[in-house]
Amino acid sequence: MPDGTATTSFPKLNRAYNAVFQPGALSIGLVVPLDAHSNSPTPDMTRHIERAQLADALGFAALWLRDVPYNVPTFGDAGQMFDPFVYLGLLSGVTRDIALGVASVILPLRHPAHVAKAAASADQLSGGRLLLGVASGDRPEEYPALAMTFPDRGERFRDSLAYIRAMASDYPTYAGSHGALHGDMDMLPKPSAGRLPILITGGSQQSPEWIAAHGDGWMTYPRDVGAQGRLVADYRARSMSAGLSEKPVMQSLYVDLVEDADMQPQPIHLGFRSGVSFLKSYLAELQARGINHVALNLRFNQANIEDTMKRLADDLLPGFTTQGPLK
């Protein structure tokens, strides 16, 4: 079985996908809100625009938004609060080079026609900087609020993805549980590169074979480096066994960067508190196991956010770069 490290070219899609994901390389992004709010599910968004612009200026590869329709108290995380597609429109206008990703749109809670139109609009408005993560959702409380059922969300996820893919064609034809298109009308705009770069999140209630065959990449969660490497290798092997090219894999990671560069890691939720030396070595291990992008989440960071962003840029980005600004 392959070791997880890509050796060929990934598919060529839009500006963001081509720059953020490169075989054998690892790029670094940030999860918005760029705000520390460990004691509250809701962030302070007062400096969110300035911090997004700072991330762009410092050379981070991507900003990642989330789709959280409701603040569910038992879940303890309201995301960035803004609707992701409205927020993408704003960020498209106030940033220049950084990729703009959603990790991830909850497909069963949205009509795929609206997702397709909003995503293609954001892709066009940003000059091809959109990365669209999709998921089946993990908050059961949200589904009855939208007259949706939770157990069958996997089936609706598959139908939604097929509908969105069809929308990239001119005058598409499609029939499924979300509606029927008969080739007599079109949806505009089209994605900047002819199709949206879609990354499937986690399992999304699908088989590993289906995930490998239907996405343009895979988003997964932090875990032991060895286990992560085996999953990456398995994903790529399944993709290639389906006759497809290798595809990128990315993951999230919560970090709390301390001033002592040599501090060894202490566990926090889905990540660790450490000095920059350990973080750098950990990312290098992930790169060696085939991870192509890591989205750092600073929710639990105790130091000043702007200072931390600058330290990450100074100490990490020179060793984890792709091909520079999006072209």
Side-chain angles (χ1 to χ4, degrees), residues 28-36 47-63 95 98 255-258 276 279 296-299 301-318:
I28 298 173
L30 297 169
V31 177
V32 299
L34 292 164
D35 178 75
R47 292 188 53 78
H48 68 102
I49 293 177
E50 293 90 343
R51 288 170 178 169
Q53 292 173 321
L54 177 60
D56 191 18
L58 290 172
F60 285 95
L63 289 173
T95 60
I98 198 165
V255 295
D256 176 8
L257 191 68
V258 303
V276 72
L279 177 57
L296 300 178
N297 192 320
L298 301 179
R299 176 181 175 180
N301 201 71
Q302 298 179 60
N304 176 273
I305 293 295
E306 283 87 353
D307 290 345
T308 298
M309 291 170 63
K310 292 172 183 175
R311 287 188 62 208
L312 290 169
D314 289 343
D315 293 338
L316 293 183
L317 295 192

Side-chain angles (χ1 to χ4, degrees), residues 31 37 40 48 54 60 75 91 165 170 187 196 206 224 281:
V31 177
H37 57 107
S40 171
H48 68 102
L54 177 60
F60 285 95
F75 202 85
L91 293 176
R165 291 292 198 198
D170 294 330
M187 177 176 283
L196 293 167
Q206 312 303 322
D224 171 78
S281 65

Side-chain angles (χ1 to χ4, degrees), residues 260-306:
D260 179 1
D262 297 320
M263 177 179 165
Q264 291 301 295
Q266 299 174 353
I268 61 174
H269 174 68
L270 295 176
F272 50 80
R273 174 179 300 111
S274 79
V276 72
S277 296
F278 176 80
L279 177 57
K280 186 184 299 185
S281 65
Y282 180 81
L283 294 174
E285 285 192 73
L286 290 179
Q287 179 178 342
R289 303 302 176 105
I291 293 290
N292 303 108
H293 181 76
V294 174
L296 300 178
N297 192 320
L298 301 179
R299 176 181 175 180
F300 301 112
N301 201 71
Q302 298 179 60
N304 176 273
I305 293 295
E306 283 87 353

Side-chain angles (χ1 to χ4, degrees), residues 106-194:
I106 310 303
L107 288 189
L109 296 181
R110 294 176 178 264
H111 195 284
H114 296 150
V115 174
K117 179 143 187 130
S121 299
D123 190 47
Q124 284 283 354
L125 289 169
S126 65
R129 290 190 284 140
L130 177 74
L131 297 170
L132 184 64
V134 294
S136 61
D138 57 3
R139 304 186 186 200
E141 298 89 342
E142 295 174 333
Y143 287 75
L146 294 167
M148 299 289 185
T149 50
F150 189 69
D152 63 346
R153 66 197 187 281
E155 180 180 352
R156 296 201 309 278
F157 177 91
R158 291 192 300 275
D159 187 64
S160 290
L161 187 58
Y163 193 116
I164 292 167
R165 291 292 198 198
M167 290 301 94
S169 302
D170 294 330
Y171 293 91
T173 58
Y174 181 77
S177 62
H178 286 93
L181 299 159
H182 304 291
D184 56 353
M185 60 183 182
D186 203 4
M187 177 176 283
L188 300 173
K190 300 298 182 186
S192 65

